[in-house]
Amino acid sequence: MKKFLRIGWLVLVLAFIYVPILVLAVYSFTDASMVGGGISSFSFENYINLFKNEELRNMIFGTLLLALVCAAISTVLATLGAIGTFYSKRLPKALINTANQVPVVNADIVTGFSICILLIVILRVDKDTFIPIGIGHIVLTAPFAYLSILPKLKQMDNSLYEAALDLGATPAQALFKVVIPQLIPGILSGFMLAVTLSLDDYFITTYTKPSTFDTISTYVVNATKGSQTEIKTALWALSTLIFVIVIAIVIGMNLLSGKKKGAKNDKI
């Protein structure tokens, strides 16, 4: 009976999370004008409109470019910060870890408004440039990338770095040839997490973006307030594609991780 209840509870939670997404995915292949409305036929028209509409294409490309650039910068900063923290003394390590947790637990709206005040109001940075939104997304994503990389450092055998120095490697060579290769799974996880957070963010983007620029999140919110049915239904298709891509990436990373563990076990 307990086992049945556990399974039932798990199914209920998964249904609560995924059924709305699946419903949206089904409606993305229909001619319905609203979710829950009548369906007269199934088609790929929403997906065709998604790629035919130049405004939507530019918005998607701009969002992806912003996310990839900010995620790359955040990952580099997080990697350097994690390595520096790991080899620091106890007090600096505690201070850096505490400071890193503040953006994680802080509300996005507070972070976005603070960055807006600092850069646009106090430092007079032109909001129509991509500097405020770039800094905002890096501030948002770097702490999470840091938290993905730091556990890999703790799992690493610290004697490997010292052994590389004893064998004649310079500190830079030991870092790039010994330490960083051990961190690659954490670095990749941190990068993917940073990309996801950048794509998903709304509040920081709203306060810092140029007036003529929209990301997927801000565009979707504005589109749902309008009356353009073709745009709204095309966004159903976009949401479905994002969900499928994320699922494919997660499955791929798990498969690669499983293969690497299997290869290590075979060697042992």
Side-chain angles (χ1 to χ4, degrees):
M1 187 63 182
K2 289 182 179 179
K3 184 178 180 180
F4 176 77
L5 290 175
R6 286 198 298 267
I7 295 173
W9 177 252
L10 177 61
V11 170
L12 183 64
V13 171
L14 292 176
F16 183 78
I17 295 173
Y18 290 106
V19 166
I21 300 175
L22 295 176
V23 170
L24 181 65
V26 170
Y27 270 89
S28 71
F29 291 98
T30 69
D31 61 349
S33 59
M34 60 181 296
V35 176
I39 300 174
S40 59
S41 64
F42 289 86
S43 71
F44 291 94
E45 190 64 26
N46 292 329
Y47 291 85
I48 294 172
N49 292 335
L50 177 64
F51 293 103
K52 281 175 58 178
N53 190 299
E54 185 178 359
E55 182 182 355
L56 288 174
R57 289 202 312 270
N58 291 337
M59 178 270 296
I60 295 170
F61 176 76
T63 304
L64 290 174
L65 183 61
L66 174 69
L68 291 173
V69 171
C70 291
I73 296 172
S74 296
T75 305
V76 171
L77 294 176
T79 303
L80 296 176
I83 293 173
T85 303
F86 182 73
Y87 289 105
S88 296
K89 294 181 180 180
R90 181 176 299 178
L91 181 59
K93 183 182 295 186
L95 290 174
I96 294 173
N97 284 330
T98 302
N100 184 78
Q101 291 174 7
V102 173
V104 174
V105 300
N106 196 22
D108 284 357
I109 190 170
V110 176
T111 302
F113 195 56
S114 301
I115 292 172
C116 177
I117 292 174
L118 174 64
L119 295 179
I120 299 172
V121 178
I122 298 177
L123 298 180
R124 301 292 184 179
V125 177
D126 188 0
K127 189 181 178 182
D128 286 332
T129 66
F130 286 90
I131 295 175
I133 190 173
I135 293 176
H137 279 227
I138 291 170
V139 170
L140 170 69
T141 57
F144 289 92
Y146 172 93
L147 292 175
S148 297
I149 297 167
L150 194 60
K152 291 298 179 182
L153 277 164
K154 294 179 179 179
Q155 295 171 9
M156 186 185 69
D157 186 356
N158 192 37
S159 62
L160 292 174
Y161 178 77
E162 297 174 356
L165 296 179
D166 291 339
L167 292 172
T170 64
Q173 289 174 332
L175 175 65
F176 285 102
K177 294 185 178 181
V178 177
V179 176
I180 290 182
Q182 301 288 324
L183 305 180
I184 287 178
I187 292 173
L188 290 177
S189 298
F191 177 78
M192 293 306 302
L193 181 59
V195 169
T196 303
L197 289 169
S198 179
L199 290 174
D200 182 62
D201 179 72
Y202 174 75
F203 289 108
I204 293 176
T205 303
T206 299
Y207 282 113
T208 58
K209 73 180 184 69
S211 56
T212 57
F213 178 76
D214 268 311
T215 63
I216 292 174
S217 59
T218 59
Y219 189 91
V220 168
V221 171
N222 293 331
T224 54
K225 297 176 182 177
S227 58
Q228 293 180 285
T229 302
E230 183 179 307
I231 295 294
K232 291 180 181 179
T233 54
L235 292 175
W236 299 350
L238 176 60
S239 301
T240 303
L241 288 176
I242 292 173
F243 178 71
V244 171
I245 291 170
V246 168
I247 292 294
I249 291 173
V250 170
I251 293 174
M253 291 181 68
N254 287 333
L255 290 175
L256 288 174
S257 178
K259 287 182 179 179
K260 288 181 180 179
K261 288 181 181 179
K264 287 182 180 179
N265 292 333
D266 292 339
K267 289 180 181 179
I268 294 173

